[in-house]
Amino acid sequence: MTCKDYLAQHTVPLAQAVRHFLAREIPYQQLEDLSWQLLSHWQNLPHIPADKQPATDQEGVFWHLLHSLHQWDEQQIIADVWLRLQLMTCANYLITEGPCPRHCMGSRP
């Protein structure tokens, strides 16, 4: 599996899980478990790119979203309206290719 394959396989499920959590349709633990699984799958790639810069805006937003889930805990995400909006904007972009949140670019782990 390549980096491109990894992103093609995991971008939409991550975005959907974030949207479902923000809508209170899934528990936080399910979102947290997914985020750890995604990092584990990344570490298991046969060739992890040495370059930490994302190749596309979509990849940058994906990494920002995934890193955010590890930076903020459940209560912070629930209580912080700005953070919730930022996470939703990222998730929506990843699912619908809407406007890119340029302030939400992450790097590869």
Side-chain angles (χ1 to χ4, degrees):
M1 177 181 285
T2 66
C3 178
K4 185 176 179 178
D5 296 334
Y6 172 89
L7 292 165
Q9 183 177 349
H10 298 297
T11 297
V12 170
L14 174 64
Q16 288 175 333
V18 167
R19 289 173 55 155
H20 288 298
F21 170 73
L22 293 174
R24 304 284 180 106
E25 296 170 350
I26 64 170
Y28 179 76
Q29 187 63 50
Q30 188 174 339
L31 180 61
E32 186 176 48
D33 289 347
L34 174 65
S35 69
W36 283 112
Q37 288 172 5
L38 294 179
L39 287 174
S40 175
H41 292 316
W42 176 258
Q43 293 300 316
N44 291 332
L45 287 181
H47 301 287
I48 296 175
D51 183 6
K52 300 296 183 192
Q53 288 300 104
T56 64
D57 287 344
Q58 183 181 34
E59 183 183 359
V61 172
F62 173 87
W63 290 121
H64 174 83
L65 188 57
L66 190 57
H67 292 312
S68 294
L69 297 178
H70 290 271
Q71 180 176 2
W72 308 105
D73 66 28
E74 178 179 14
Q75 291 309 311
Q76 290 169 310
I77 294 172
I78 289 170
D80 189 323
V81 174
W82 182 85
L83 178 58
R84 292 174 58 82
L85 179 60
Q86 181 184 71
L87 296 176
M88 184 61 81
T89 300
C90 290
N92 287 341
Y93 169 72
L94 293 176
I95 289 175
T96 65
E97 292 295 325
C100 180
R102 299 254 175 238
H103 62 287
C104 297
M105 291 292 153
S107 59
R108 295 172 179 158

